[in-house]
């Protein structure tokens, strides 16, 4: 007997010692012996191991159990074990019962690793122990230790591969624990659990596939890229190799399609490659049934999304078969409250649309309803994918199909931005030949007030997109509808600040005219548009689309007003005759007049017609703060028009002076300021015609002097300028003779303001200007000593003294 045998025999006996340290020492010694390359394992040695070491797998000491497991693993891997049942029995006792005895995570991990070694080395011996091993794994897969869970999952996969012929009888028991492991918080465990499910399902009876597909579908949203890729590969493997796989395709196809919209590009590319492989295998396995399609259907279509590879016939056929099951799910989940599900559903719609092609019309009505609802909130991330789905669908579905759903829906319900987003998406890549017969019905529908007058800016944006796509596809068919397009365009643009000139639609409309100019476009369609506005303007309020269109015409399409002035004047007359209307509306109309006047598009006669026939009636005094503000706005309008008038006659002056003299005494400071400016223009015009009389001068002087007491000073400066203009030469003949007392009173009143710090410099300059009339009278009203700011009065006295000296010298020289 050699030394090793003696030592082993002694160690085996000491394993029965009650002292755990002794047991541990001897287990270590046995491990050292077994690890020696020179040691040969004999049947007697293995019998002793079975008798003395196997019980140590269930030892009360954790250290002893750990060493015992490692020793047994060495023997298992060396192929020395002939009966694995005692080992499995002990592991089952420690880990497979209802109440798990094993508490050490390290030992549990060693037990599972020992099982894996047994499965790898003793495939033929594990069948009798299959139930016990399954019982152990159902518990260990759910263990709280991640390492134990992970190794248990790997063990389950190895067990399935090793017991292919019998595994289907026990596979059901492992499915639930593995599904729970796919939701574990560590990605490595989730990844391993999914990989293990692949083998467990492959060698099962397949009945668990629907349940598994439902449970693992959430992993398509996993944060870990590797987990999502693993699921994609597992699903594709089942679709390629699972027995009775076609019966499970309704559950598997949504998963592989969803994998094609993964956020990670390599994942998407792998999913697309696998999907192509699945489609090709389906063609090969169903070549007889698909022969006619293979022979006659083209591989590539002329009208197809650019830079996109068309799915093969097998892929298209599989999706077509399942589209009636896929679309209801997509429709339901587009409205899911979880944003990530809604987004994935929108992405899946794009893939389904690309594979299903024209077969998607079977659920089109409900699908369009769901799509428009999703896009009603354009800031929803899913809306971008849904819009992309509509663009893909436009390649395969005829306008005659989707228009009969969308247009009645928009007519029967309140149209919203979702409708217009989807309609524009469907028209973006439309076949021009198929659309040509529908151009008139589309444009006629869009021209309706309930469509083109919707205020929502996003709705208008996509409405213009629809028009643009129709024009691109069917420009010749749009030629006879150019007025309708012009009306829609100008109505939509009426509430925006965008200029016409650089817009695609506007350029197209110009090209439809002859000559191709903006002026010709407005000339061609402007009168009809203004006449329509004239017919409806009686009912306008401040936010009426018609009023906003008129504003847009004034800002960007003044040629319409030039060519149709009479209609424009009729609109102004109808809308401004009733001063009891909403003051905001009346203000807007006055602003419209100002805009047109500023553009110098009216001649003198037209300006006077607007001023006298439309603005003057609004200037009539009416009580109340609202009427006061309206008078101020209309007075500004009158001032602007008066400045633009290049030619006055006596009648115009006689009508104008009394109105603005009265307004110069108005309660509203702005009205007074505008009235003074207008009077200044009228005075200059009257002097040019030599038509100013003494009464007018005296009345102007009265209101202007009253305004010197105004606050704020802006009005006071305007009054000073008006007085200066009024007494600038020439004056009426003999005015200074007959109205010397009036001039004296003027001097006396103005001189007082030499002490007003705000305007004293302007008053000084004014008095110097006015001194030419009666300097001797003016100097009598100046007493330097009574002024606080004597230097202003002294300055004026010096100026007047110099002037009087020059006048006296001039008179003496004359004599």
């Amino acid at each position: 007997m050699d030394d090793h045998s003696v030592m082993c025999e002694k160690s085996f006996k000491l394993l029965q010692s009650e002292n755990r340290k002794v047991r541990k020492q001897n287990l270590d010694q046995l491990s050292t012996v077994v690890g020696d390359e020179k040691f040969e394992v004999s049947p007697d040695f293995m019998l002793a191991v079975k008798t003395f070491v196997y019980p140590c797998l269930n030892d009360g000491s954790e250290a002893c159990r750990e060493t015992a497991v490692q020793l047994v693993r060495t023997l298992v891997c060396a192929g020395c074990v002939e009966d694995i049942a005692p080992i499995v029995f002990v592991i089952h006792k420690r880990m497979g019962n209802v109440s798990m005895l094993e508490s050490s995570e390290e030992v549990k991990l060693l037990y599972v690793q020992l099982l894996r070694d047994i499965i790898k080395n003793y495939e033929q011996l594990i069948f009798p122990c299959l139930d016990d091993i399954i019982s152990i794994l159902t518990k260990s897969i759910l263990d709280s230790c991640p390492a134990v869970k992970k190794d248990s999952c790997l063990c389950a996969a190895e067990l399935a591969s090793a017991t292919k012929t019998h595994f289907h009888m026990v596979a059901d028991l492992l499915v639930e624990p593995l599904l729970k492991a796919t939701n574990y918080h560590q990605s490595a465990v989730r990844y391993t659990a999914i990989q293990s499910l692949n083998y467990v399902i492959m060698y099962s009876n397949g009945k668990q596939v629907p349940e598994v597909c439902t449970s693992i579908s959430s992993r398509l949203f996993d944060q870990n890229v590797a987990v999502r890729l693993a699921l994609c590969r597992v699903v594709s493997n089942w679709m390629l190799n699972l027995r009775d796989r076609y019966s499970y395709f309704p559950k598997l196809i949504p998963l592989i399609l969803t994998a094609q919209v993964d956020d990670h590009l390599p994942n998407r590319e792998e999913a697309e490659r696998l999907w192509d492989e699945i489609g090709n295998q389906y063609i090969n396995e169903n070549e007889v049934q698909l022969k006619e399609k293979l022979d006659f259907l083209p591989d590539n279509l002329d009208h197809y999304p650019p830079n996109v590879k068309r799915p093969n016939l097998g892929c298209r056929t599989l999706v077509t078969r399942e589209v009636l099951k896929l679309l209801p799910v997509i429709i339901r989940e587009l409205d899911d409250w979880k944003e990530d599900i809604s987004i994935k559903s929108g992405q899946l719609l794009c893939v389904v649309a690309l594979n299903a092609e024209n077969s998607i019309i079977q659920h089109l009505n409900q699908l369009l309803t769901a799509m428009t609802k999703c896009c009603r909130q354009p800031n929803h991330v899913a809306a971008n994918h849904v819009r992309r789905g509509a663009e893909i669908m436009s390649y395969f579905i005829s306008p005659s199909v989707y228009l009969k759903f969308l247009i009645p829906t928009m007519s029967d319900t309140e149209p919203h931005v979702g409708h217009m987003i989807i309609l524009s998406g469907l028209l973006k890549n439309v076949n021009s030949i198929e659309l040509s017969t529908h151009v008139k019905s589309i444009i006629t529908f869009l021209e309706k007030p309930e469509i083109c007058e919707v205020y929502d800016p996003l709705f208008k944006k996509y409405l213009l997109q629809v028009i643009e796509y129709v024009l691109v596809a069917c420009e010749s068919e749009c030629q006879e509808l150019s007025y309708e397009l012009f009306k829609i365009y100008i109505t939509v643009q009426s509430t925006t600040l965008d200029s016409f000139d650089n817009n695609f639609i506007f350029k197209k409309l110009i090209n439809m005219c002859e000559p191709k100019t903006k002026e010709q476009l407005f000339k061609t369609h402007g009168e009809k548009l203004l006449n329509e506005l004239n017919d409806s303007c009686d009912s306008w309020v401040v936010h009426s689309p018609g009023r906003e269109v008129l504003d847009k015409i004034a800002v960007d399409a003044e040629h319409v007003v030039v060519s149709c002035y009479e209609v424009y004047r009729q609109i102004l007359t109808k809308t401004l005759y009733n001063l009891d209307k909403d003051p905001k509306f009346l203000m807007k109309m006055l602003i419209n007049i100002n805009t047109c006047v500023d553009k110098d598009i009216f001649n003198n006669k037209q300006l006077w017609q607007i001023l006298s026939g439309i603005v003057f009636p609004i200037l009539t005094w009416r009580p109340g703060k609202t009427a006061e503000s309206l008078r101020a706005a209309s007075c500004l309008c009158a001032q602007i028009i008066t400045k633009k008038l290049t030619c006055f006659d006596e009648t115009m002056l006689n009508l104008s002076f009394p109105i603005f003299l009265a307004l110069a005494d108005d309660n509203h400071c702005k009205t007074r300021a505008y009235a003074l400016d207008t009077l200044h223009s009228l005075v200059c015009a009257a002097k040019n015609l030599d038509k100013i009389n003494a009464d007018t001068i005296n009345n102007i002087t009265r209101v202007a002097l009253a305004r010197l007491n105004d606050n704020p000073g802006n009005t006071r400066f305007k009054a000073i300028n008006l007085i200066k203009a009024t007494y600038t030469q020439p004056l009426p003949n003999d005015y200074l003779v007959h109205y010397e007392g009036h001039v004296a009173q003027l001097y006396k009143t103005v001189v007082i303001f030499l002490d007003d710090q705000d305007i004293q410099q302007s008053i000084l300059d004014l008095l110097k200007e006015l001194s030419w009339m009666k300097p001797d009278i003016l100097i009598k009203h100046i007493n330097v000593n009574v002024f606080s700011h004597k230097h202003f009065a002294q300055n004026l006295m010096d100026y007047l003294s110099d002037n009087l000296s020059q006048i006296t010298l001039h008179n003496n020289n004359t004599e």
Side-chain angles (χ1 to χ4, degrees), residues 230-270:
L231 179 56
C232 170
R233 287 172 173 164
V234 167
V235 169
S236 64
N237 182 53
W238 292 344
M239 294 184 76
L240 290 167
N241 301 307
L242 200 63
R243 289 189 298 273
D244 299 327
R245 54 187 171 275
Y246 287 169
S247 59
Y248 309 127
F249 272 20
K251 289 289 185 180
L252 294 170
I253 287 175
L255 300 181
I256 192 66
L257 292 180
T258 305
Q260 293 178 54
V261 295
D262 195 279
D263 296 334
H264 191 56
L265 179 60
N267 281 21
R268 288 200 302 274
E269 292 173 344
E270 178 70 359

Side-chain angles (χ1 to χ4, degrees), residues 117-128:
D117 292 336
I118 290 172
I119 292 168
K120 289 176 185 176
N121 292 280
Y122 302 95
E123 288 187 11
Q124 300 305 316
L125 300 179
I126 61 178
F127 290 106

Side-chain angles (χ1 to χ4, degrees), residues 135-199:
S135 179
I136 295 166
L137 291 177
T138 54
K139 303 293 190 303
S140 61
I141 289 172
L142 298 177
D143 195 82
S144 59
C145 175
V148 175
K149 292 173 82 73
K150 184 178 176 181
D151 266 57
S152 299
C153 291
L154 293 171
C155 185
E158 291 161 358
L159 179 65
S161 299
T163 59
K164 299 174 185 176
T165 56
H166 294 72
F167 187 75
H168 65 276
M169 296 185 292
V170 294
D172 290 2
L173 299 172
L174 289 177
V175 169
E176 186 178 347
L178 285 171
L179 287 176
K180 289 181 179 178
T182 61
N183 294 317
Y184 193 68
H185 61 85
Q186 282 193 10
S187 61
V189 174
R190 296 197 301 273
Y191 176 87
T192 307
I194 289 172
Q195 294 280 33
S196 299
L197 266 175
N198 177 41
Y199 293 95

